[in-house]
Amino acid sequence: MLNKSEPALEGGLNDLVPYAKDELWNMESVCRAFRGTRDTEFRVPAADTGKELFFRERELLARWTSMTHPLQKALLKAIREAMAAHKVDRLNLRVPWGSEMRVIYIREINSDGCLNIYLNSH
């Protein structure tokens, strides 16, 4: 049961069920995410289109999300325009990674604008 302890409300996920009116609510999936078990890549909304970006590696996700929203938007716009200009659905992008260079593999998943972004080419 949700308890009000000044100034915050306290409770567990089960306490949110009466308030979870969205048809997308799925208690099992929410619990799985917080347990740290996941079926797919990490996903975040793209700063430019709002479509999903999928990340396989936690470190890459952390570095990506350390960029400001406007910077992410500008980078994604450049990535998408370069891929469209060359009519490809994949971009192998060299980036500074600490004191070395690494390749980030970017793949358009579908024509809907979702991208898969990862460090390993497999």
Side-chain angles (χ1 to χ4, degrees), residues 35-85:
R35 280 189 200 105
T37 57
R38 58 189 174 85
D39 296 332
T40 95
E41 296 89 357
F42 302 103
R43 56 181 74 199
V44 297
D48 62 339
T49 63
K51 300 294 181 181
E52 291 182 307
L53 302 178
F54 296 91
F55 293 85
R56 291 185 190 167
E57 297 90 4
R58 189 170 282 157
E59 177 66 19
L60 180 54
L61 171 66
R63 291 177 189 225
W64 185 276
T65 57
S66 72
M67 288 185 276
T68 64
H69 189 268
L71 184 56
Q72 288 180 37
K73 187 174 182 176
L75 176 58
L76 284 166
K77 185 177 178 183
I79 287 169
R80 291 183 198 281
E81 287 185 11
M83 290 170 69

Side-chain angles (χ1 to χ4, degrees), residues 97-116:
W97 194 273
S99 61
E100 60 185 65
M101 296 297 283
R102 298 277 307 262
V103 175
I104 294 175
Y105 299 92
I106 302 168
R107 182 175 59 92
E108 188 175 33
I109 297 172
N110 53 38
S111 60
D112 203 22
C114 296
L115 296 176
N116 201 340

Side-chain angles (χ1 to χ4, degrees), residues 74-94:
L75 176 58
L76 284 166
K77 185 177 178 183
I79 287 169
R80 291 183 198 281
E81 287 185 11
M83 290 170 69
H86 293 275
K87 297 180 174 74
V88 297
D89 64 355
R90 295 172 189 255
L91 172 65
N92 300 343
L93 185 65
R94 287 184 308 281

